[in-house]
């Protein structure tokens, strides 16, 4: 019995061993492929919104290797199949006939012949081109069959096309198409496709001047085969063989170098389709070069341009710097760097005041010498208008009214509003910036500022087209990714920051020109399409800004030096605004913003002062103002006067019959605003003098211009004398008044008409008194110190 069972047992054991071996082989086969067949780093590839290459950065291993292709072009597919693997769609990963032919050839002849399929070549590429032994071939066959199970034929072709070497450090079909022909792979001709199909078989053929005839013969044989197989016709064949061979690799396109570098840092090794419009980008590059040449003459070496789509908040154009030299930091992406904002934040304050009804668009605001806790803001031209319409103060970018309005509105309140607008670069407390925040005391980037302007325009557009609603994430920042859709939040009836009416009135004011140097510059910026724009110049002439919006586009321009060196003449109006308008002219027409009547009310305003009309305003007009404009107070500057019958003198009941008095409405500014306002407004009528014998004692007839209240007068040190002269200056509403000056009750002088007095003083504290010839008096404590603080 044992003799009978012994053979059975042996058969069973043999079967068990065979099954075990089969299981091991099967397991090895199932798990022989790594999860990721290729772990090689890839180049960062950047494409425009149209899908064309605008830039790339080399892979970390020094190879130009584009990310995996989405599809293999048909011409290349036909070429590579006929050249490398004619039976690709029929075999399971290897071709036994080709292998046998290759073995026979290699055993009988001196030349070498390969029998690998495309699938096997993919395996060989993934294994880093191991030595070509028969054992290695066996491994390739083994793994190739597994690859066929994991991937479709089309996916295997894409792997092959993406990882095949093409000579030098060029890897992959798409890379080769750009490096050798400067076109994308899907645009390759038959001649070009055939050349790239034969090149991986002998990549050394690509070097110019070497082996060109061998390269040409290989390509033409393939083309002839394509013709003989009726893949192409005779005419196509003749045209293809006449095409030149590729030579030395071309440099890759670099249309937006700073954006490409930014994407390399933020999306390394990825193929990124941006929202950039290639034709516009190329136009911006030309404009940047032209303006750089002009600015260079003033030793201004850097600039930046950013163009956004208002509705989608996508970037359409991105010039990160000028085409200057490396010594001038042309590699720095200015768009993302924080710079002093200059006056670019002023429209946000203007809109805030309008939105809350604290200001009407054309209300007079004071523009007079101002000192606030030692801070002494000055206008660009160092002059003062006395009083100026708020809209004109914005359009002319006046600094003093902006500082005074910020103090009235509240520094912390405005700072909080800026954070609501996602201006995250303001990362210090409001007290750190102080009132200089509105004049460039803070820093922000061109990316952030332009995006914020775009959000304002988008909010207005959305209100007009979506049943008077807003979105609670309107100030979401921009994107350069074509496939990224920004979430602007849910609809709501209350504005997130500004109402549509306030934005519209602000844009209307910005539509007027910014004129820090005077009206003569306006004619140079007469554009073919309207734009709401704002310039900015930082302290020390280090940063020049120009930012503008239309219903469709937001444009940001910066000019200056990357190292922070200031230059005379480096202002927003001269260095940045001309480029802004050239960019605007390069964009399609976009019209102007419609009036958001659902967030506007028609209000009667005083034509002279711009405030809500009071009973004392003779000239009244109607204006569309934000809805909260109805909260604003009546005109504070118009009052009723009583004049004599000739209307030349003021009178009162103590000195003139009531029945003969003539009531007259009059615009009366405070003394200091009037002092400056009258000099530039010849139509302004000062208060008439009182009739002889009438009481003239009244408040607010005069006011000290210098020194201001709480202002310390500094004397220069070491002049060799104990005293120095200071200037005392006063404004009086009576043009012919006589002023008597006293220092600590000691009479020191008298002035008529123009009230300025030079007075020698020593350091100390004094009581300054001024009395006019009618007995009106004002007093003020003054401190006089040496400039060193002693």
């Amino acid at each position: 019995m044992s003799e009978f069972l012994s053979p059975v047992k042996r058969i069973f054991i043999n079967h068990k061993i065979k099954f075990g071996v089969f299981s091991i082989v099967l397991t090895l086969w199932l798990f022989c492929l790594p999860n990721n067949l290729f772990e090689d780093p890839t180049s960062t590839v950047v494409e425009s919104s149209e899908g064309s290459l605008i830039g790339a950065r080399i892979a970390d291993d020094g190879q130009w290797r584009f990310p995996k292709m989405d599809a293999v072009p048909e011409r290349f597919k036909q070429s590579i199949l006929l050249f490398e693997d004619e039976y690709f769609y029929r075999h399971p990963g290897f071709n036994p006939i080709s292998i046998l032919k290759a073995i026979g050839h290699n055993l009988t002849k001196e030349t070498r012949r390969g029998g690998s399929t495309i699938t096997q070549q993919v395996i060989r590429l993934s294994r880093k081109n191991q030595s070509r032994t028969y054992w290695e071939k066996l491994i390739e066959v083994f793994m190739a069959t597994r690859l066929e199970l994991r991937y479709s034929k089309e996916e295997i072709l894409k792997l092959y096309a993406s990882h095949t070497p093409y000579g030098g450090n060029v890897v992959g079909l798409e890379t080769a198409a750009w490096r050798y022909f400067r076109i994308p792979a899907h645009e390759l001709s038959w001649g070009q496709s055939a050349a790239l199909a034969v090149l991986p078989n002998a990549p050394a053929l690509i070097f110019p001047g070497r082996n060109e005839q061998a390269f040409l013969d290989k390509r033409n044989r393939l083309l002839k085969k394509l013709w003989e197989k009726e893949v192409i016709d005779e005419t196509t064949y003749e045209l293809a063989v006449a095409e030149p061979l590729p030579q030395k690799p071309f440099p890759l396109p670099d249309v937006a170098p700073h954006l490409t570098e930014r994407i390399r840092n933020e999306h390394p090794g990825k193929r990124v389709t941006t929202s950039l419009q290639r034709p516009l980008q190329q136009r911006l590059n030309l404009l940047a070069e032209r303006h750089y040449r002009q600015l260079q003459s003033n030793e201004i070496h850097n600039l930046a341009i950013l163009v956004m789509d208002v509705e989608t908040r996508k970037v359409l154009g991105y010039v990160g710097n000028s085409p200057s030299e490396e010594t001038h930091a042309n590699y720095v992406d200015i768009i993302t760097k924080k710079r002093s904002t200059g006056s670019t934040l002023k429209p946000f304050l203007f809109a805030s005041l309008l939105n809350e009804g604290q200001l009407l668009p054309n209300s007079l605001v004071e523009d007079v010498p101002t000192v606030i806790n030692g801070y002494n803001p000055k206008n660009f031209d160092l002059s003062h208008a006395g009083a100026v319409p708020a809209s004109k103060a914005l359009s002319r970018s006046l600094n003093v009214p902006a500082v005074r309005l910020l103090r009235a509105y509240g520094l912390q309140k405005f700072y909080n509003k800026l954070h609501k607008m996602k201006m995250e670069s303001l990362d210090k407390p409001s007290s750190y910036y102080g009132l200089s925040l509105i004049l460039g005391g803070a820093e922000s980037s061109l990316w952030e500022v332009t995006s914020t302007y775009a959000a304002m325009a988008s909010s207005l557009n959305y209100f007009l087209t979506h049943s008077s609603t807003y979105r609670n994430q309107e100030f979401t920042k921009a994107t350069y990714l074509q496939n990224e859709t920004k979430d602007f939040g849910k609809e709501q009836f209350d504005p997130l920051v500004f109402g549509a009416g306030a934005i519209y009135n602000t844009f209307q004011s910005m539509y007027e020109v910014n004129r820090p140097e005077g009206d003569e510059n306006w004619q140079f910026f007469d554009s073919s399409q309207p734009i709401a724009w704002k310039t900015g110049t930082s302290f020390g002439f280090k940063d020049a800004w120009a930012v503008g919006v239309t219903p469709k586009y937001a444009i940001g321009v910066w000019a200056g030096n990357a190292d922070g060196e200031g230059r005379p003449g480096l202002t927003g109006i001269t260095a940045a605004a001309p480029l802004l308008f050239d960019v605007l002219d390069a964009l399609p027409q976009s019209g102007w913003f419609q009036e958001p009547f659902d967030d506007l009310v028609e209000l009667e305003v005083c034509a002279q002062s711009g405030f809500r009309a009071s009973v004392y305003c003779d000239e009244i007009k109607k204006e569309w103002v934000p809805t909260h404009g109805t909260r604003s107070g009546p005109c504070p500057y118009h009052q009723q006067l009583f004049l004599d019958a000739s209307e030349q003198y003021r009178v009162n009941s103590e000195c003139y019959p009531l029945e003969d008095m003539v009531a007259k409405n009059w615009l009366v500014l405070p003394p200091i605003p009037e002092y400056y306002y009258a000099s530039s407004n010849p139509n302004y009528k000062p208060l008439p003098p009182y009739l002889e014998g009438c009481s003239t004692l009244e408040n607010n007839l005069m006011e000290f211009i210098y020194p201001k209240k709480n202002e310390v007068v500094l004397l220069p040190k070491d002049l060799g004398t104990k005293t120095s002269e200071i200037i005392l200056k006063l404004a009086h509403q009576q043009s012919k008044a006589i002023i008597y000056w006293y220092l600590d009750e000691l009479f020191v002088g008298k002035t008529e008409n123009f009230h300025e007095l030079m007075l020698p003083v020593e350091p100390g504290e004094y009581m300054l008194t001024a009395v006019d010839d009618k007995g009106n008096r004002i007093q003020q404590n003054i401190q006089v110190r040496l400039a060193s603080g002693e």
Side-chain angles (χ1 to χ4, degrees):
M1 187 69 176
S2 60
E3 294 177 358
F4 173 77
L5 290 176
S6 181
V8 174
K9 187 175 182 180
R10 285 197 299 270
I11 293 172
F12 176 76
I13 291 172
N14 289 337
H15 277 290
K16 189 173 182 180
I17 291 172
K18 291 178 181 178
F19 181 76
V21 171
F22 175 77
S23 298
I24 293 172
V25 172
L26 179 62
T27 302
L28 288 173
W29 183 79
L30 287 173
F31 296 99
C32 67
L33 291 181
N35 290 332
N36 295 317
L37 203 59
F38 293 93
E39 296 285 357
D40 302 314
T42 55
S43 302
T44 303
V45 178
V46 181
E47 297 176 343
S48 70
S49 59
E50 303 90 356
S52 62
L53 182 69
I54 59 174
R57 292 295 179 266
I58 201 165
D60 291 341
D61 62 354
Q63 301 293 306
W64 284 108
R65 184 188 299 106
F66 283 16
K68 180 182 173 183
M69 299 183 67
D70 295 328
V72 179
E74 188 63 27
R75 291 190 183 98
F76 179 79
K77 182 193 293 186
Q78 295 289 347
S79 300
I80 197 64
L81 291 179
L82 204 55
F83 183 75
E84 289 282 3
D85 193 354
E86 196 170 350
Y87 298 96
F88 175 71
Y89 285 101
R90 303 180 194 174
H91 62 64
F94 67 97
N95 188 333
I97 297 176
S98 295
I99 293 175
L100 290 174
K101 286 182 178 180
I103 293 173
H105 178 91
N106 295 336
L107 289 175
T108 59
K109 298 182 180 181
E110 293 183 1
T111 58
R112 308 296 292 177
R113 173 180 173 179
S116 299
T117 63
I118 287 178
T119 311
Q120 287 176 261
Q121 292 184 50
V122 170
I123 294 298
R124 186 174 71 248
L125 291 170
S126 72
R127 290 173 57 79
K128 307 303 179 189
N129 290 314
Q130 299 279 347
S131 58
R132 296 191 177 187
T133 64
Y134 287 110
W135 173 248
E136 181 62 28
K137 285 291 181 183
L138 185 61
I139 293 175
E140 289 177 8
V141 169
F142 186 73
M143 296 180 70
T145 57
R146 181 67 182 91
L147 186 66
E148 291 275 348
L149 185 65
R150 177 185 287 186
Y151 296 110
S152 68
K153 292 287 188 179
E154 299 303 321
E155 289 173 322
I156 293 172
L157 271 178
K158 284 189 285 186
L159 286 171
Y160 175 82
S162 299
H163 296 279
T164 305
Y166 283 89
N169 63 347
V170 179
V171 179
L173 173 65
E174 187 71 24
T175 317
W178 278 107
R179 292 285 277 161
Y180 296 131
F181 299 109
R182 291 193 288 192
I183 57 174
H186 68 269
E187 293 182 8
L188 291 170
S189 66
W190 279 107
Q192 293 166 338
S193 297
L196 294 184
V198 304
L199 188 56
N201 188 261
L205 298 178
I206 192 63
F207 292 100
R210 290 168 48 191
N211 307 315
E212 288 191 47
Q213 188 60 46
F215 188 8
L216 183 65
D217 292 342
K218 287 173 73 75
R219 186 202 67 174
N220 289 349
R221 283 196 297 271
L222 174 56
L223 288 170
K224 187 174 183 180
K225 193 174 181 181
L226 287 166
W227 172 37
E228 292 171 346
K229 293 286 186 178
E230 297 184 349
V231 178
I232 60 176
D233 56 32
E234 184 177 3
T235 302
T236 303
Y237 165 71
E238 291 174 352
L239 291 172
V241 296
E243 292 184 38
L245 291 174
Q247 299 295 315
K248 184 179 178 180
F250 294 106
L252 291 171
D254 207 13
V255 181
H258 297 89
L259 179 60
T260 299
E261 190 64 22
R262 177 176 175 178
I263 292 173
R264 185 189 71 81
N265 293 325
E266 297 177 1
H267 306 277
K270 304 293 183 183
R271 183 188 299 273
V272 175
T273 301
T274 69
S275 51
L276 260 65
Q277 297 176 356
R278 186 185 180 96
L280 174 62
Q281 180 67 28
Q282 292 173 320
R283 175 65 176 153
L284 296 183
N285 289 343
L286 292 175
L287 290 175
E289 182 174 3
R290 191 178 82 197
H291 281 266
Y292 162 67
R293 301 300 174 199
Q294 296 170 358
L295 294 171
Q296 189 182 24
S297 62
N298 190 26
E299 296 185 23
I300 300 169
H301 300 288
N302 305 100
L303 57 82
I305 308 169
L306 186 63
V307 180
M308 294 180 183
D309 182 287
V310 162
E311 182 179 352
T312 63
R313 219 67 50 81
K314 290 182 178 179
V315 175
L316 306 178
Y318 193 109
V319 179
N321 209 327
S322 61
S324 60
E325 298 81 21
E326 188 173 344
T327 54
H328 297 300
N330 63 344
Y331 51 86
V332 175
D333 184 359
I334 300 292
I335 287 175
T336 61
K337 299 301 181 286
K338 292 167 60 173
R339 307 289 301 200
S340 169
T341 55
S343 297
T344 57
L345 304 186
K346 287 177 182 176
F348 306 149
L349 176 61
F350 186 76
S352 299
L353 290 158
L354 292 179
N355 191 64
E356 298 180 23
Q358 297 186 34
L359 190 70
L360 296 182
N362 295 301
S363 296
L364 288 177
V365 293
E366 290 191 8
D367 177 22
V368 296
T370 300
V371 178
I372 303 172
N373 297 326
Y375 179 50
N376 181 19
K378 298 182 184 298
N379 292 326
F380 184 87
D381 58 4
L382 303 180
S383 68
H384 298 281
V388 61
S391 59
K392 193 171 184 180
L394 176 63
S395 68
R396 292 185 59 194
S397 200
L398 298 177
N399 292 335
V400 173
V403 170
R404 296 176 69 93
L405 288 171
L406 178 57
R407 181 179 62 169
Y409 184 76
L411 173 61
Q412 184 64 45
K413 186 178 178 182
F414 182 60
Y415 174 85
N416 294 341
K417 185 154 287 192
L418 292 175
H419 272 273
K420 268 192 172 183
M421 298 161 68
K422 304 295 184 184
M423 297 205 69
E424 297 167 355
S425 58
L426 304 178
D427 53 4
K428 296 179 176 61
S430 61
S431 57
Y432 175 85
Y433 305 108
L435 294 175
S436 68
L437 170 68
I438 201 64
L439 304 184
E443 292 185 335
S444 187
S445 65
L446 189 64
W447 178 269
E448 190 172 68
V449 171
T450 308
S451 183
T452 305
Y453 273 78
M456 287 182 68
S458 177
S459 181
L460 176 55
N461 288 343
Y462 196 82
F463 181 89
L464 290 165
T465 56
H466 291 78
S467 303
S468 301
T469 56
Y470 304 92
R471 296 177 290 191
N472 64 1
Q473 295 294 329
E474 188 65 70
F475 285 86
T476 297
K477 287 296 178 281
T479 180
Y480 54 72
L481 300 175
Q482 175 67 10
N483 297 325
E484 181 180 2
T485 302
K486 283 292 183 178
D487 180 12
F488 297 111
K490 299 178 181 178
E491 288 188 348
Q492 60 185 36
F493 289 107
D494 294 327
L496 179 64
V497 181
F498 309 119
I503 295 174
Y504 179 77
N505 280 147
T506 301
F507 285 171
Q508 279 292 105
S509 298
M510 293 167 63
Y511 177 52
E512 301 296 329
V513 66
N514 297 264
R515 298 189 290 268
E517 293 184 295
D519 295 350
E520 67 274 6
N521 287 311
W522 166 237
Q523 63 267 28
F524 298 116
F525 303 112
D526 188 11
S527 177
S528 59
Q529 57 177 316
I531 184 173
W533 62 294
K534 184 75 190 72
T535 59
T537 305
S538 68
F539 179 77
F541 303 102
K542 297 178 179 180
D543 304 274
W545 297 75
V547 188
V549 287
T550 72
K552 291 184 179 180
Y553 305 106
I555 307 168
V557 171
W558 178 93
N561 287 310
D563 61 4
E565 180 186 358
R567 294 297 303 165
L570 179 58
T571 67
I573 198 73
T574 59
L579 179 52
L580 171 78
F581 277 86
D582 279 350
V583 172
L584 178 64
D585 288 340
L587 295 170
Q589 289 283 334
S590 60
W592 184 242
F593 299 93
Q594 299 177 16
E595 294 91 338
F597 289 114
D598 287 354
D599 198 47
L600 295 172
V601 293
E602 195 172 32
L603 192 68
E604 289 187 342
V605 299
C606 178
Q608 284 184 284
S609 70
F611 283 89
R612 187 159 59 86
S614 71
V615 294
Y616 302 122
C617 293
D618 290 332
E619 190 178 348
I620 296 173
K621 64 179 182 180
K622 291 185 177 181
E623 284 185 352
W624 289 97
V625 302
T627 52
H628 289 162
T630 54
R631 300 175 180 175
S632 62
C635 175
Y637 296 134
H638 275 86
Q639 56 183 259
Q640 190 175 60
L641 304 180
F642 292 97
L643 307 178
D644 68 344
S646 68
E647 299 185 7
Q648 295 182 6
Y649 298 96
R650 280 188 287 168
V651 295
N652 52 46
S653 59
E654 296 179 1
C655 63
Y656 203 79
L658 288 174
E659 62 273 14
D660 294 333
M661 291 182 184
V662 178
K664 202 80 170 177
N665 295 328
W666 210 277
L667 176 66
V668 182
L669 295 175
I672 293 183
E674 181 191 61
Y675 175 84
Y676 293 97
Y677 186 81
S679 62
S680 56
N681 291 271
N683 293 328
Y684 178 76
K685 296 180 180 180
L687 283 171
Y690 274 97
L691 186 66
E692 188 70 28
C694 291
S695 173
T696 61
L697 292 178
E698 56 180 286
N699 297 324
N700 301 322
L701 267 179
M702 53 184 173
E703 189 174 351
F704 289 114
I705 297 176
Y706 184 82
K708 298 289 292 181
K709 189 175 182 181
N710 300 322
E711 182 178 10
V712 177
V713 180
L714 297 178
L715 299 178
K717 189 182 178 185
D718 296 331
L719 292 181
T721 60
K722 294 183 178 180
T723 63
S724 296
E725 289 186 334
I726 65 172
I727 298 177
L728 305 178
K729 196 171 182 178
L730 176 146
H732 197 292
Q733 290 185 327
Q734 299 295 322
S735 59
K736 297 182 180 181
I738 300 174
I739 303 297
Y740 300 92
W741 299 82
Y742 297 85
L743 203 61
D744 286 344
E745 302 300 326
L746 176 67
F747 176 73
V748 293
K750 156 179 104 165
T751 55
E752 298 183 35
N753 299 326
F754 299 101
H755 306 295
E756 294 185 12
L757 182 68
M758 296 285 293
L759 185 67
V761 295
E762 295 182 358
E765 295 188 6
Y766 302 93
M767 174 63 71
L768 178 64
T769 304
V771 182
D772 70 5
D773 54 335
K774 304 299 182 183
N776 297 292
R777 167 191 297 257
I778 57 172
Q779 287 185 312
Q780 179 176 300
N781 286 314
I782 64 170
Q783 295 183 43
V784 181
R785 296 179 185 172
L786 290 175
S788 63
E790 295 178 6

